Amino acid sequence: MKSVIIKPKNELLKKYVQYFLFFKKSDNQSLNYTTFPNNNLCLAIYKHSAVRYINDSKTNSCSITEGNKNFTSRFYGFHKMPFKVNINDSLDQICIIFYPSALRAFTKDSYADLMTSDGAFEEIFTHKNSFTLEQIFEQDDFTKRAAQLELLLLKNLKNELPEKLREALHYISKYSHNENFNIETLSKKLEISDTTLFRLFKNHLGQNAKSYLKTIRFRNTLDGILNQQNNLTTIAHFNQYYDQAHFINDFKTFSGYSPKQLIDKVSVQQNDLTWIYNKK
C-alpha cells in the first residue's frame, strides 16, 4: 500500500489542517495496521469501499471491503484505545487530518452526529458541486489532489474559534509538562470555572479537558520512547508519571502494549504516524 503525507501550503489553512494523507492500494490482498490515540480528528473519504466501524468499550476497529457506493466518508477520533484497521480489498482513500478544535472552523454540526455518519463529507462541505469528489479522485497526482482539497476547505471556512479555547490550547502546549499542571490550574489561568472549561472543550473539541490532557501525555510519552530521547524512567517522570505501575497501565490502555513491547513492534513512523503494520 502506498501512503503519502502532504502538508497544506496556504498559510491560513495551516492553522486548521495538520496534513492530508493519501492511501492507494491496487491489489485485493488483506492488510491490517494499528494506530494509537491522538487529539487530532481525521475525515476519511473512500472511493468504492464499504466501511464497518465498531467503537465501544471493548473494540475500536474499522473493516474496509468492496462497496457499492461511489463515496463513503467517516470521522475518526477521540480514541481511548488502539485503532485497528483491516483492509480486505483495493483502496483509494483520502484523509484530512484536522488539528484539535479546528473542525469547528468549518461546521457547528454535533460531533455525535458526525462521528456516526457515513456521509460526513457531504454534511460539512456545503460549498461544493455534485462532482467535487469525482474531480478530486480523478487526479492520480496526490499533490494536485491536495491543492483541490485546499481550495475546497478555504471556501468552507465559516467560524472563528473562541478566544478562551485558543488561550487554553496555547497554555497546555507551553506548560503541560509542569509538575503541578492540572485542570484546576488551567481553569484559574483562564479565569473560568471547571464547569465552563468542561463545556468549552466538549463543545469545540469533542472531548473534555481531562481526556484531552491524558491523550497529550500519552503522545508525548510515545514520541519520547520511539525517539529514544532518554531512558523510560526519565521519560515517564518528564510526563508526570511518578508511579511505574500507573505509567505502564496507562500506556497499555492507549497502545495495547507495554513501552518496551511497543518499541519492537512499531513498523511505520513518519511525522505524526506511528503504526504497527501487518500484511497477511
Side-chain angles (χ1 to χ4, degrees):
M1 182 173 71
K2 182 180 181 181
S3 61
V4 176
I5 290 175
I6 298 178
K7 294 194 174 183
K9 294 182 179 179
N10 182 275
E11 291 300 321
L12 177 59
L13 207 56
K14 288 178 181 178
K15 299 177 182 178
Y16 305 101
V17 176
Q18 192 171 1
Y19 53 82
F20 303 108
L21 178 57
F22 302 96
F23 295 106
K24 199 72 175 281
K25 179 176 172 290
S26 56
D27 60 69
N28 296 321
Q29 188 175 5
S30 293
L31 177 152
N32 66 76
Y33 64 88
T34 302
T35 67
F36 308 107
N38 205 337
N39 280 317
N40 52 27
L41 199 60
C42 170
L43 171 58
I45 310 163
Y46 306 86
K47 183 177 181 180
H48 297 154
S49 291
V51 182
R52 184 170 181 261
Y53 180 42
I54 302 174
N55 184 11
D56 55 35
S57 60
K58 296 182 179 179
T59 306
N60 185 25
S61 67
C62 170
S63 179
I64 302 169
T65 56
E66 183 180 2
N68 297 321
K69 292 175 63 176
N70 284 340
F71 301 103
T72 299
S73 52
R74 293 204 64 100
F75 267 110
Y76 302 115
F78 315 135
H79 301 299
K80 296 181 179 180
M81 65 179 77
F83 179 40
K84 301 180 183 296
V85 180
N86 301 296
I87 305 169
N88 301 295
D89 195 55
S90 58
L91 180 70
D92 193 357
Q93 178 184 350
I94 293 171
C95 293
I96 305 173
I97 311 298
F98 294 94
Y99 281 111
S101 81
L103 186 63
R104 280 290 171 256
F106 300 91
T107 180
K108 290 186 177 179
D109 290 355
S110 78
Y111 282 109
D113 291 341
L114 289 173
M115 297 299 287
T116 56
S117 172
D118 64 357
F121 175 87
E122 287 78 5
E123 293 185 31
I124 291 175
F125 295 111
T126 54
H127 293 292
K128 63 182 188 308
N129 61 53
S130 58
F131 302 106
T132 297
L133 287 179
E134 286 87 344
Q135 291 169 345
I136 292 172
F137 275 92
E138 275 179 5
Q139 293 287 354
D140 290 326
D141 186 329
F142 291 152
T143 302
K144 292 180 179 179
R145 282 191 183 187
Q148 287 184 300
L149 288 168
E150 287 201 42
L151 290 174
L152 176 67
L153 287 161
L154 288 168
K155 286 180 182 178
N156 281 269
L157 268 174
K158 302 171 185 176
N159 312 308
E160 286 291 331
L161 302 180
E163 186 59 34
K164 285 293 182 184
L165 182 60
R166 293 179 187 272
E167 288 181 32
L169 295 178
H170 172 74
Y171 192 73
I172 289 170
S173 67
K174 193 172 182 180
Y175 297 108
S176 60
H177 283 302
N178 288 10
E179 182 176 350
N180 296 320
F181 186 88
N182 53 36
I183 299 299
E184 291 73 22
T185 305
L186 184 59
S187 298
K188 290 178 180 178
K189 178 65 179 177
L190 298 173
E191 298 180 341
I192 58 177
S193 67
D194 291 350
T195 303
T196 300
L197 180 68
F198 177 90
R199 290 173 182 166
L200 183 69
F201 272 70
K202 195 71 175 175
N203 291 340
H204 294 280
L205 274 83
Q207 58 183 324
N208 61 52
K210 185 177 181 179
S211 295
Y212 181 82
L213 288 173
K214 284 187 71 173
T215 306
I216 280 188
R217 181 162 69 166
F218 164 72
R219 293 301 303 198
N220 288 340
T221 305
L222 178 63
D223 291 343
I225 291 170
L226 295 177
N227 293 323
Q228 298 180 339
Q229 294 172 351
N230 281 297
N231 61 53
L232 288 178
T233 301
T234 302
I235 293 170
H237 285 176
F238 183 71
N239 289 286
Q240 299 186 50
Y241 286 110
Y242 303 111
D243 178 88
Q244 187 178 22
H246 180 205
F247 170 50
I248 293 174
N249 287 337
D250 243 25
F251 206 86
K252 281 186 174 180
T253 298
F254 279 105
S255 72
Y257 300 96
S258 71
K260 289 182 179 179
Q261 288 173 328
L262 189 62
I263 291 172
D264 296 329
K265 288 185 174 291
V266 167
S267 50
V268 175
Q269 189 183 355
Q270 55 175 333
N271 295 337
D272 290 297
L273 296 185
T274 302
W275 298 354
I276 295 174
Y277 177 85
N278 297 304
K279 194 171 184 178
K280 297 179 182 177

